């Protein structure tokens, strides 16, 4: 699969990279990397790239920042080299080390996760994934059933399984992410995770103790009824992929409609992750 790399330059830095990451994800961009201090590199499959749609977004965004961009095609056979050259290992809370196969291992860290760095979201470089990993590290998941929605690479589901959660179900609607999750399970010696290609409508007909969903505000808002239906009474729901200022209150109110109570939240660079409990 060929990809289009779009290099976006902002007239000033924070918080525009984070804001435009979300806007670009809504039109099909599925991976992002930092360029220079005021540059964002965004990637989209060539077959769904719509230059007119991108022009409209970057020209009529309505924000007080100037935006310019350039684009280039990346041949599929070159993608791994491009990604690897920009990929660094991540340590979360001194307890979880996420690395690629070409990085040196750290056997003294309690939880080491090997992620093949492909196009799937969830390498812990983004604030939302990092905060969800922090929540996972703080939460007792042993022997508890866990659902990971928008699983991407499977990093959250893999960490949950390493911490003793069982059974673990990971769902993503992107075929690339689905296959990458399966590959990463193998790299982490996990052979009993259920990985599903689909969306909230494909959630198995069973109850879960814990649900993690790191997607975006609009999808989360629409899918909360599905989560409420399969979350056990007393169970916990963790959400991320949205902003503190614009989105948290909207999702708090939406969860409350279904008897899911806001407990607390984390914040990094305007991004939010939140913990809820079902009454």
């Amino acid at each position: 699969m060929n990809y289009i790399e779009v290099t976006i330059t902002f007239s000033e830095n924070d918080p525009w990279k984070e804001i435009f990451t979300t806007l670009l994800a809504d039109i099909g961009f599925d991976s992002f990397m930092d360029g220079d201090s005021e540059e964002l590199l965004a990637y989209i499959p060539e077959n769904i790239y719509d230059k007119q749609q991108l022009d409209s977004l970057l020209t009529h965004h309505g924000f007080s920042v100037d935006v310019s961009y350039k684009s280039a095609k990346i041949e599929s056979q070159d993608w791994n080299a491009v990604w690897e050259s920009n990929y660094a290992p991540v340590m979360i809370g001194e307890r979880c080390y996420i690395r690629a196969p070409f990085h040196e291992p750290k056997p003294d860290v309690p939880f080491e996760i090997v992620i093949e760095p492909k196009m799937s979201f969830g390498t812990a470089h983004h604030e939302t994934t990092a905060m969800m990993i922090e929540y996972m590290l703080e939460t007792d998941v042993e022997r508890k059933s866990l659902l990971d929605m928008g699983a991407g690479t499977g990093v959250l589901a893999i960490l949950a399984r390493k911490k003793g959660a069982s059974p673990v179900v990971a769902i993503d609607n992107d075929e690339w992410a689905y296959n990458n999750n399966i590959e990463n399970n193998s790299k982490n010696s996990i052979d009993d995770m259920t990985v599903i290609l689909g969306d909230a409508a494909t959630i198995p007909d069973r109850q879960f103790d814990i649900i993690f969903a790191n997607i975006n505000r609009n999808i989360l808002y629409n899918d909360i009824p599905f989560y409420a239906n399969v979350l056990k009474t007393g169970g916990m729901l963790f959400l991320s992929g949205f902003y503190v200022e614009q989105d948290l209150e909207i999702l708090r109110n939406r969860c409350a409609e279904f008897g899911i109570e806001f407990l607390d939240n984390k914040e990094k660079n305007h991004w939010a992750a939140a913990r809820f409990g079902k009454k």
Side-chain angles (χ1 to χ4, degrees):
M1 182 193 308
N2 293 334
Y3 268 75
I4 300 297
E5 177 189 73
V6 176
T7 302
I8 303 168
T9 303
F10 304 100
S11 58
E12 55 189 87
N13 198 353
D14 292 336
W16 305 113
K17 287 184 181 181
E18 290 79 10
I19 290 173
F20 278 86
T21 293
T22 297
L23 296 175
L24 290 163
D26 288 339
I27 63 171
F29 284 81
D30 58 17
S31 290
F32 305 88
M33 292 188 293
D34 278 337
D36 294 335
S37 61
E38 294 171 354
E39 285 185 351
L40 173 68
L41 278 62
Y43 298 87
I44 186 170
E46 183 182 26
N47 65 323
I48 64 170
Y49 174 58
D50 185 331
K51 184 179 184 302
Q52 185 176 0
Q53 188 179 39
L54 178 64
D55 285 339
S56 178
L57 171 63
L58 298 182
T59 303
H60 305 294
H61 51 73
F63 297 110
S64 59
V65 61
D66 294 327
V67 182
S68 60
Y69 80 92
K70 60 183 179 181
S71 63
K73 183 168 78 171
I74 297 180
E75 302 291 340
S76 58
Q77 63 265 27
D78 295 332
W79 173 251
N80 278 347
V82 173
W83 185 265
E84 288 179 13
S85 69
N86 290 276
Y87 185 88
V90 178
M91 179 75 79
I92 305 293
E94 302 301 319
R95 296 180 59 209
C96 183
Y97 180 60
I98 300 99
R99 66 175 179 87
F102 49 84
H103 293 135
E104 287 296 319
K106 289 185 179 292
D108 56 326
V109 176
F111 302 104
E112 181 177 70
I113 300 174
V114 179
I115 295 296
E116 187 65 49
K118 293 187 177 179
M119 290 300 298
S120 311
F121 182 82
T123 59
H125 290 84
H126 196 274
E127 290 88 343
T128 60
T129 309
M131 288 186 289
M132 292 291 257
I133 289 172
E134 290 176 0
Y135 266 132
M136 185 77 74
L137 291 171
E138 296 164 4
T139 304
D140 178 12
V141 301
E142 189 169 0
R143 299 182 183 178
K144 294 182 179 178
S145 53
L146 186 141
L147 171 64
D148 181 10
M149 291 297 303
T153 61
V155 63
L156 291 173
I158 290 168
L159 177 57
R161 190 68 194 90
K162 284 178 175 282
K163 288 195 69 188
S166 180
V168 174
V169 176
I171 299 178
D172 201 292
N173 66 0
D174 181 86
E175 187 171 3
W176 192 294
Y178 166 79
N179 290 322
N180 190 209
N181 192 340
I182 293 172
E183 179 182 15
N184 290 328
N185 287 347
S186 177
K187 290 183 180 298
N188 290 276
S189 301
I190 293 172
D191 59 8
D192 57 355
M193 183 190 301
T194 300
V195 183
I196 297 173
L197 176 62
D199 55 19
T202 63
I203 297 174
D205 184 18
R206 57 154 301 149
Q207 296 286 291
F208 292 91
D209 296 299
I210 299 169
I211 299 174
F212 276 76
N214 183 15
I215 311 178
N216 64 54
R217 189 196 77 182
N218 292 337
I219 292 177
L220 292 173
Y221 186 92
N222 291 332
D223 288 353
I224 283 169
F226 291 92
Y227 305 157
N229 186 52
V230 298
L231 185 62
K232 292 181 181 178
T233 300
M236 287 187 291
L237 170 65
F238 297 85
L239 302 179
S240 194
F242 54 90
Y243 293 104
V244 174
E245 292 85 357
Q246 301 100 314
D247 306 327
L248 180 56
E249 188 66 23
I250 291 171
L251 292 173
R252 286 182 61 169
N253 293 336
R254 180 65 163 169
C255 284
E257 293 177 27
F258 296 89
I260 300 175
E261 179 184 16
F262 172 77
L263 299 175
D264 55 51
N265 72 278
K266 298 177 181 290
E267 177 181 355
K268 286 186 179 179
N269 294 329
H270 305 283
W271 290 100
R275 182 170 65 102
F276 300 81
K278 187 174 181 181
K279 302 175 183 177

